Amino acid sequence: MTGVNTKVLVVDDEEIVRESLGGWLAKDGFDVTSAPDGRTAVEHFKSAKWNVVLVDLKMPGMDGLQVLEEARKLQPDAAVILMTAYATVDTAVTAMKLGAFDYLVKPFDPEELSILMQKVVAQQSLVRENAALRKALKKEHRFRDLVSKSPSMQRVFELAQVAARSNSTILVLGESGSGKEVLARTIHAESGRANGPFVAVSCAALTESLLESELFGHEKGAFTGAIARRKGKFEAAHGGTLFLDEVGDITSKLQLELLRVLEDRSFHRVGGNDPIEVDVRVIAATNRDLKKAVADGSFREDLFYRLNVIPVTLPPLRERREDIPLLVEHFLDRLEAELKHRVEVSPEAMASLLAHDWPGNVRELRNVLERGAVVSHGNVIRPEDLGLASAPAPASKGAAPAGTPSSLEEVERHHIAAVLSHTGGNVSQAARVLGIDRVTLYNKMKKYQLKRDGDESESAG
C-alpha cells in the first residue's frame, strides 16, 4: 500500500469532505486524522509529527494560507497540499511561494488524489534517502570533531588513531587555525585517558615567569603576590592529557624545565623543594619550523627529539580545498544549534569560499561563516555576507610589480597589511578577521615589520 507509515492531517470545515478524504486515504493505507478548522490544525502541529497536510483554502477564521504558514514554522518537513474550489494563477503562485507542495482543485476524484499522494510519498522517501546518505558520508569522513575527505587528512586521522592508543608524546605541526587543538582533544578522547582531564596551555600568551607558574604551580611566598600555594597545569592534568600550544615560543629556561619533566615525570613547584610526580601524556603543537629553530640554536635539540616522538602534520586548508564544502556543512550544523535556525550557503558564496586562500585556515572559515549567518538577510548566505573582499594593500617598498608572481610570504604580508589598514590599526579586530589569535598576529607583524596601520616600519627595507 502507498501510504504505509505516512501520517496525514486533513483540515476542512466541511464534515463530508473530511469523511470522504479520510476514507479514500485510509484505503491507500494512510494514517489519517482530521481537523475542522485552522486553530485545531495548529494544535495538532504542536502535538504530533505529520508527513502530509491537506488543507482547504477557504475556511472561517484561519484560512488555508495561514495554516500553511503555521505548518512551515511548526512542521517544516511536512508536505502541505492546498484544496480550493476557487483556483486562480495568483492563488497557486502565493501557495508555492509560501512553501506548498501542490494544490488540488475541487471537486477532484479519488484517482487524482491517489496520484498526487504517491508523488508526495516518493519525494519524501527520496529526501530521507538523501539525508541518510549525507549522514553516512559525514560519518565516513569524520574523526570525532574533525571532518575531511582529502587523502592528506585521512592519513592524519589514521596516524592519530594509532597514536591515541599509546602514551607517547605527540608533536602536532601546522599553521595557525589549522585545527591543532581540535586534533589534540580528539586524540585524548580516543585514548585510554579519555576519562581523565584535558588541560590546554597557550605558551605564547604568557611571559616566562607567568608560564613557569602556570605549568608547575608555586608555593606560598615564592614571589610577590604568591599569597597561597597554587597547583600548576601539570598537576591539573594528572591522569589525563596536557596540551602545550605554541611550544616553539618558550624560552631556553622553560625548554630545559620541560625537558626534565618529560624525562623524569616529576618537577618542583616554583619556590618548592619537594618533587611532584605526575602521570601526564603531553601533546605539543607549534606553527614554527622546529628543525630550523634547532639549527639556528633557538630551540633545544634534545627537547625537540623528546617532543617529536610521534609527529603529526596538519595540512593547510588551501591544500585541501575539496574539504571546504564538507567543513561548511559541518559548521552550519553547529551554527544551527547556536542561532536556532538553519542557514544555507548560496552557490555563488560557495564559489567565493572555494576561491579564497584561507590564511587563517579552518578557524577563519568558521568565523567567516558565523559572520555570514549573522548578517545575512533570510536563511541564505550570499557572497556579500561573507566579508571576504578586503581593501587593497597600501603601496609599500618592495611590493611586487603588477602581474609579477609573488611568494607565499609576500601574499601573506600584503594581506595582513590590508586587513590592518581596513580595521584602522585595531589588532584584535584584525586578528578576528584573519582567524588567528593576537599573539600570532603580533609575531607576524614583527616578522614582516608592519605597523598597526599596515605600513612598513622605519627599519624595513
Side-chain angles (χ1 to χ4, degrees):
M1 289 187 291
T2 302
V4 175
N5 298 323
T6 300
K7 293 190 66 174
V8 181
L9 178 65
V10 175
V11 188
D12 199 299
D13 58 319
E14 295 185 34
E15 185 176 0
I16 189 170
V17 174
R18 297 196 302 272
E19 290 179 352
S20 299
L21 285 174
W24 294 345
L25 292 166
K27 286 181 180 179
D28 282 340
F30 291 99
D31 181 0
V32 187
T33 301
S34 63
D37 53 61
R39 297 292 176 195
T40 305
V42 171
E43 292 305 312
H44 281 302
F45 295 157
K46 295 176 182 177
S47 61
K49 186 172 177 63
W50 305 94
N51 303 105
V52 187
V53 179
L54 281 158
V55 57
D56 189 31
L57 179 63
K58 296 291 184 181
M59 294 187 295
M62 180 181 282
D63 66 18
L65 291 179
Q66 291 173 304
V67 174
L68 170 60
E69 289 188 87
E70 289 300 311
R72 302 319 302 147
K73 295 176 189 174
L74 300 172
Q75 299 271 340
D77 295 331
V80 180
I81 298 170
L82 282 171
M83 301 178 293
T84 177
Y86 312 95
T88 65
V89 172
D90 288 343
T91 302
V93 169
T94 301
M96 295 307 176
K97 279 186 176 179
L98 289 174
F101 180 86
D102 209 334
Y103 69 98
L104 284 167
V105 180
K106 293 180 178 179
F108 50 84
D109 59 36
E111 186 177 351
E112 185 180 359
L113 175 63
S114 181
I115 291 171
L116 180 55
M117 292 301 290
Q118 287 176 30
K119 182 179 173 183
V120 173
V121 170
Q123 192 259 4
Q124 292 190 334
S125 176
L126 185 61
V127 168
R128 285 194 295 271
E129 287 176 12
N130 286 339
L133 180 60
R134 284 198 302 271
K135 188 174 181 181
L137 285 172
K138 283 183 181 180
K139 187 175 181 181
E140 179 184 346
H141 300 314
R142 182 183 291 275
F143 181 36
R144 287 188 177 262
D145 286 337
L146 291 162
V147 291
S148 175
K149 64 179 181 180
S150 72
S152 58
M153 280 297 288
Q154 289 298 317
R155 288 192 291 272
V156 168
F157 292 175
E158 291 169 9
L159 178 56
Q161 286 175 318
V162 172
R165 295 195 287 269
S166 74
N167 275 316
S168 299
T169 304
I170 297 171
L171 180 61
V172 183
L173 304 168
E175 295 179 4
S176 180
S178 57
K180 296 187 291 295
E181 183 171 344
V182 178
L183 178 63
R185 289 183 180 275
T186 300
I187 291 172
H188 170 74
E190 291 284 315
S191 74
R193 296 174 175 268
N195 292 327
F198 178 92
V199 180
V201 181
S202 176
C203 298
L206 302 170
T207 63
E208 179 185 275
S209 57
L210 285 174
L211 181 58
E212 183 181 25
S213 176
E214 186 78 4
L215 290 174
F216 308 117
H218 60 253
E219 297 290 349
K220 180 179 179 180
F223 50 83
T224 303
I227 59 175
R229 171 188 284 180
R230 181 176 179 274
K231 291 183 177 181
K233 299 300 186 184
F234 268 100
E235 285 180 86
H238 181 72
T241 302
L242 178 65
F243 176 61
L244 301 176
D245 196 14
E246 303 304 347
V247 73
D249 292 352
I250 64 176
T251 62
S252 299
K253 177 188 175 185
L254 287 179
Q255 288 178 34
L256 178 58
E257 292 187 19
L258 178 57
L259 176 64
R260 287 172 177 163
V261 178
L262 293 174
E263 288 180 339
D264 302 337
R265 299 292 169 180
S266 68
F267 62 92
H268 296 83
R269 294 194 190 102
V270 177
N273 297 313
D274 299 327
I276 299 168
E277 294 186 357
V278 287
D279 172 25
V280 172
R281 200 268 188 83
V282 172
I283 301 178
T286 183
N287 58 17
R288 292 187 63 195
D289 184 340
L290 288 189
K291 288 183 179 179
K292 184 178 178 182
V294 168
D296 65 28
S298 62
F299 201 84
R300 293 182 66 101
E301 185 176 23
D302 46 5
L303 177 58
F304 170 69
Y305 287 119
R306 274 288 178 185
L307 294 173
N308 199 45
V309 178
I310 303 178
V312 181
T313 301
L314 283 170
L317 187 54
R318 64 181 172 276
E319 293 180 5
R320 51 186 183 99
R321 294 178 189 271
E322 66 268 39
D323 283 342
I324 291 174
L326 200 63
L327 287 165
V328 166
E329 186 159 351
H330 173 67
F331 288 135
L332 291 182
D333 287 344
R334 294 279 187 91
L335 287 168
E336 181 179 7
E338 294 174 20
L339 301 175
K340 309 302 181 188
H341 70 273
R342 179 74 183 183
V343 292
E344 301 294 340
V345 171
S346 72
E348 296 81 8
M350 182 62 78
S352 296
L353 295 173
L354 288 167
H356 189 58
D357 270 343
W358 301 109
N361 289 292
V362 179
R363 185 191 295 130
E364 183 189 3
L365 173 61
R366 204 272 185 208
N367 292 345
V368 165
L369 287 171
E370 182 174 358
R371 169 202 155 86
V374 171
V375 306
S376 64
H377 299 289
N379 296 325
V380 178
I381 298 174
R382 313 218 173 263
E384 58 269 24
D385 302 323
L386 300 172
L388 289 177
S390 59
S396 59
K397 288 187 285 183
T404 301
S406 301
S407 70
L408 184 59
E409 286 197 347
E410 286 176 327
V411 172
E412 183 177 59
R413 176 166 66 86
H414 293 321
H415 185 65
I416 291 173
V419 172
L420 285 168
S421 176
H422 184 69
T423 60
N426 186 320
V427 175
S428 296
Q429 185 180 348
R432 283 196 295 274
V433 171
L434 291 165
I436 58 179
D437 57 59
R438 288 176 57 203
V439 175
T440 301
L441 179 53
Y442 276 122
N443 288 339
K444 290 183 180 293
M445 289 168 65
K446 182 178 179 182
K447 173 183 177 182
Y448 297 128
Q449 297 179 310
L450 293 171
K451 295 190 292 187
R452 283 175 177 263
D453 58 5
D455 286 339
E456 293 183 358
S457 65
E458 295 299 323
S459 60

